[in-house]
Amino acid sequence: MSNLKVRTILVSQPEPKVENSPYFDLQQKHKVKIDFRSFIHVEGVSAKDVRAQKIDLNNFTAIILTSKNAVDHFFKVAEEMRYKVPEDLRYFCQSEAIAFYLQKYVVYRKRKIYVGQKDFADMAPLFKKYKDEKFLLPASDQLNADAPTTLNNLKIDWTPAVFYKTVMSDLSDLANVYYDVLAFFSPTGIKSLFKNFPDFKQNETRIAVFGSTTQKEALEHGLRIDILAPTPETPSMTMALERYVAEANKGK
């Protein structure tokens, strides 16, 4: 399909809030129109739902935070439960960005906060150091496998709990809108496409996917994958799109 010019791209994520996003560079450099639209969104669960999972926040001495959503929904549920977050609670944050976001809820310098590098497994030395803590992992209903694998291998006392859910968005307003390229980042994004448009036919639409689980979901739905990331040559979605667009639009 690379012989067909790319004029329009739909990225199934929110529009970047930073002005120097590589998506905007791609748009300007190749004169393509890029739209952003979340195919999925997050909804918090109630304190009642958390209690139904037999979770008592008083039983934990440490919280593992893997995203800003986890931070927001932990404190939302805590407030709903009228749970006074103790000052000596330990916070294990997967990245600096998450630790920084935590300041929205706690006075940073007065709290015990431990920060990983980027991936979940990077926090393993921190968990080992505090292996006697009782850890709570507030997460979504779609927990990445690397978290349980890492924690179980360390043989520490930890409990997962669903504090928020990934939900498919209503895309009915896109029914008669067509794009040359659709870019997906999660299996749920692919599922959302087919939930909203059960009769979706790919035809000349190019499909871009990020990650092996997204690739697997796309193939299971009978989609042809034209653009794949990450690869050694194109570690990001924007680099993969850039490479494909440059080739497809060459001399056209």
Side-chain angles (χ1 to χ4, degrees), residues 3-247:
N3 59 335
L4 293 172
K5 187 171 181 177
V6 174
R7 294 182 179 84
T8 57
I9 299 171
L10 179 62
V11 176
S12 62
Q13 284 189 330
E15 184 168 345
K17 289 189 168 66
V18 291
E19 289 179 17
N20 60 348
S21 166
Y23 283 110
F24 302 143
D25 294 339
L26 173 64
Q27 192 167 239
Q28 286 189 321
K29 183 177 176 182
H30 293 282
K31 304 293 185 280
V32 293
K33 181 176 186 284
I34 302 180
D35 289 338
F36 299 88
R37 177 65 180 277
S38 290
F39 277 39
I40 56 178
H41 63 277
V42 163
E43 288 181 1
V45 305
S46 67
K48 183 183 174 185
D49 292 328
V50 174
R51 284 196 192 97
Q53 299 171 58
K54 296 186 169 50
I55 298 295
D56 179 350
L57 297 183
N58 293 294
N59 293 341
F60 301 97
T61 59
I63 306 293
I64 304 168
L65 299 166
T66 57
S67 69
K68 292 178 182 178
N69 279 322
V71 176
D72 284 335
H73 293 290
F74 168 72
F75 284 98
K76 174 183 157 289
V77 168
E79 188 178 352
E80 251 186 81
M81 288 182 167
R82 295 188 173 83
Y83 166 73
K84 191 175 186 308
V85 181
E87 290 199 8
D88 60 353
L89 187 70
R90 297 186 191 274
Y91 299 92
F92 291 78
C93 301
Q94 187 168 326
S95 68
E96 274 189 18
I98 296 164
F100 185 74
Y101 188 73
L102 192 56
Q103 292 183 85
K104 184 177 173 183
Y105 297 95
V106 301
V107 181
Y108 205 85
R109 58 190 166 76
K110 291 186 177 178
R111 297 294 183 270
K112 296 170 180 176
I113 297 167
Y114 311 91
V115 185
Q117 299 301 308
K118 181 188 171 194
D119 297 324
F120 192 89
D122 296 335
M123 290 193 285
L126 295 171
F127 296 138
K128 270 187 196 171
K129 189 174 178 183
Y130 296 96
K131 63 183 187 307
D132 295 329
E133 302 293 331
K134 290 184 181 298
F135 293 90
L136 174 67
L137 175 61
S140 83
D141 55 335
Q142 297 180 19
L143 182 61
N144 287 338
D146 55 346
T149 301
T150 301
L151 295 168
N152 288 337
N153 286 344
L154 292 168
K155 295 183 171 54
I156 60 174
D157 184 347
W158 74 283
T159 304
V162 174
F163 273 58
Y164 55 99
K165 292 181 177 179
T166 305
V167 181
M168 297 175 206
S169 303
D170 178 5
L171 307 172
S172 53
D173 57 304
L174 294 177
N176 296 308
V177 183
Y178 299 94
Y179 289 89
D180 296 322
V181 177
L182 299 178
F184 294 95
F185 300 82
S186 72
T188 318
I190 303 282
K191 287 174 183 167
S192 180
L193 172 69
F194 283 93
K195 184 186 179 212
N196 279 278
F197 310 111
D199 301 323
F200 176 78
K201 299 283 187 293
Q202 183 172 358
N203 298 325
E204 293 179 349
T205 303
R206 271 58 58 84
I207 299 291
V209 299
F210 189 91
S212 56
T213 56
T214 313
Q215 178 186 13
K216 182 171 178 283
E217 192 70 35
L219 294 172
E220 284 176 2
H221 278 86
L223 295 175
R224 179 192 68 252
I225 296 170
D226 302 282
I227 304 160
L228 180 63
T231 68
E233 300 79 31
T234 56
S236 69
M237 176 61 86
T238 48
M239 290 173 77
L241 288 169
E242 157 94 41
R243 189 175 189 179
Y244 184 90
V245 171
E247 183 61 34

